[in-house]
DNA sequence: ACCCGTGTTCGCTG
DNA sequence: TCAGCGAACACGGG
């Protein structure tokens, strides 16, 4: 379920699992090569023997820095639609759908699991992530620091695009996906169909607050270990079969919890589902 | 069987 | 030139 909050959970997990660790073996499933497209490098062999130095996240991108004998090396990981990183202690069977397994010097394995293989993995020479066009193009990360409202308003500029569609553009803000876009606009009481350019400064301010609240709420739901009794690990929501925690996403036909009078509607914008309350989102 | 999907990129169109 | 849109990628779940 990788939008910013889930990728942040993945980053926190990986930090915990890799601190001071070294990669001692690498196993790849046959179709793992698809993860590297369209890049040419299809082998993670340069990571053998490398030691983890740190994990960064920007938007939905994970940036793993390691130090190999030959110097720094980076591993760039994007989870696509179904990607996730899981840890299995030594002796435990691998999870279904493991595409890549990194065996660490504590005996554990880190598995990259991705049924649809929409995710990406790429080695980055010298861990110079900022030289990747895909990373350089990203807008500011709304969790790293507060959203700069004047800058956001300027970026929305003269766009005629519906605001919900604009929010999915990673060059505007990095990390908002289809769930967070609907949830944020609902919290801000803004109609997702409004052209971006029609948002007044006060609307952009409300929207920024909505984005921050929605991300914080989702992160809290997914990341609080206490939410998952019986597990010391931070979990992914679908693995826990937690019921839908969102205000509008996936809630078509239900009563609006915000105004208590409207009914949540599902529409399609740019080919993606949008959920909102037509009564209180204006 | 059919439809839907938390993301991104590509190619066509107006 | 470019914003906007549908298709494609691939597979599991309802």
């Amino acid at each position: 379920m990788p939008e910013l909050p889930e990728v942040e959970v993945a980053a926190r997990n990986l930090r915990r699992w890799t601190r001071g660790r070294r990669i001692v073996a690498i196993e790849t499933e046959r179709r793992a090569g698809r993860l590297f497209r369209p890049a040419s490098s299809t082998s993670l062999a340069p990571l053998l023997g490398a030691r983890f130095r740190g994990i960064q996240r920007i938007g939905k991108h994970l940036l793993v820095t390691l130090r190999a004998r030959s110097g720094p090396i980076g591993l760039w990981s994007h989870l696509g639609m179904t990607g996730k990183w899981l840890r299995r202690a030594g002796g435990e069977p691998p999870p279904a759908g493991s595409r890549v397994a990194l065996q660490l010097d504590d005996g554990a394995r880190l598995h990259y699991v991705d049924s649809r293989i929409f995710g990406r993995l790429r080695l980055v020479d010298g861990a110079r992530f900022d030289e990747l066009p895909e990373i350089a193009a990203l807008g500011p990360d709304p969790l790293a620091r507060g959203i700069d409202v004047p800058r956001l308003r300027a970026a929305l500029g003269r766009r005629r695009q519906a605001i919900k569609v604009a929010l999915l553009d990673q060059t505007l803000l990095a990390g908002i996906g289809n769930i967070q876009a609907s949830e944020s606009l609902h919290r801000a009481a803004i109609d997702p169909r409004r052209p971006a350019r029609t948002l007044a400064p006060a609307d952009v301010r409300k929207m920024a607050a909505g984005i921050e609240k929605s991300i914080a709420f989702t992160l809290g739901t997914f990341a609080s270990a206490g939410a998952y009794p019986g597990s010391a690990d931070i979990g992914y929501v679908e693995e826990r079969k937690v019921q839908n925690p969102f205000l509008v996403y996936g809630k078509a036909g239900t009563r609006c919890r915000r105004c208590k009078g409207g009914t949540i509607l599902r529409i399609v914008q740019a080919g993606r589902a949008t959920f909102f309350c037509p009564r209180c989102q204006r």
Side-chain angles (χ1 to χ4, degrees):
Chain A
M1 205 171 182
E3 292 187 28
L4 188 155
E6 298 86 338
V7 181
E8 174 63 18
V9 170
R12 293 178 186 180
N13 282 337
L14 287 170
R15 279 182 202 119
R16 215 151 32 82
W17 297 337
T18 63
R19 187 159 294 128
R21 298 270 71 84
R22 187 190 291 276
I23 295 174
V24 299
I26 299 169
E27 297 146 20
T28 59
E29 185 255 2
R30 254 190 123 266
R31 277 172 304 167
R34 299 193 71 85
L35 290 166
F36 296 86
R37 86 204 129 97
S40 51
S41 92
T42 55
S43 168
L44 295 174
L47 295 179
L48 262 180
R51 192 179 290 280
F52 288 90
R53 290 291 169 155
I55 318 277
Q56 292 171 274
R57 178 196 57 76
I58 173 163
K60 305 169 191 173
H61 301 252
L62 288 168
L63 311 177
V64 182
T65 300
L66 305 97
R67 180 164 294 272
R69 200 160 303 199
S70 55
I73 185 165
L75 177 63
W76 170 37
S77 168
H78 190 289
L79 304 178
M81 290 275 269
T82 53
K84 62 194 77 169
W85 283 96
L86 300 175
R87 180 183 188 271
R88 288 293 183 270
E92 285 187 296
S98 172
R99 305 297 182 188
V100 171
L102 306 178
Q103 188 178 344
L104 310 186
D105 57 358
D106 62 357
R109 280 184 176 79
L110 302 185
H111 293 273
Y112 179 67
V113 177
D114 188 350
S115 69
R116 293 171 77 174
I117 322 186
F118 285 176
R120 296 296 151 85
L121 284 179
R122 191 185 296 178
L123 293 182
V124 180
D125 273 349
R128 293 186 294 271
F129 295 107
D130 47 4
E131 292 178 8
L132 292 172
E134 292 90 339
I135 302 299
L138 294 175
D141 184 287
L143 189 62
R145 56 195 77 184
I147 294 171
D148 182 335
V149 173
R151 178 186 167 149
L152 177 57
R153 182 160 177 266
L156 291 171
R158 302 193 286 279
R159 291 192 193 214
R160 300 162 189 271
Q161 210 173 27
I163 184 59
K164 188 270 185 168
V165 177
L167 283 179
L168 297 179
D169 180 347
Q170 302 296 297
T171 69
L172 191 70
L173 288 172
I176 297 174
N178 207 38
I179 294 178
Q180 296 301 321
S182 280
E183 292 292 300
S184 301
L185 291 171
H186 180 71
R187 287 176 185 269
I190 293 170
D191 188 321
R193 300 167 294 188
R194 282 179 60 184
R197 61 195 289 184
T198 68
L199 267 65
D203 295 323
V204 179
R205 201 158 50 239
K206 277 195 302 179
M207 186 175 75
I211 291 166
E212 289 170 357
K213 271 188 220 159
S214 179
I215 288 174
F217 168 79
T218 308
L219 191 52
T221 301
F222 291 175
S224 63
Y228 307 113
S231 169
D233 279 343
I234 295 168
Y236 283 87
V237 71
E238 76 272 18
E239 290 169 357
R240 295 288 158 189
K241 301 198 164 65
V242 168
Q243 63 184 6
N244 180 346
F246 302 112
L247 299 173
V248 292
Y249 186 83
K251 298 277 207 173
T254 68
R255 173 69 56 88
C256 175
R257 286 162 56 183
R258 171 175 226 286
C259 68
K260 320 280 190 207
T263 301
I264 303 305
L265 198 60
R266 177 191 185 275
I267 62 173
V268 174
Q269 295 179 287
R272 321 259 344 245
T274 299
F275 297 87
F276 71 110
C277 171
R279 186 167 176 269
C280 65
Q281 290 181 247
R282 295 295 173 171

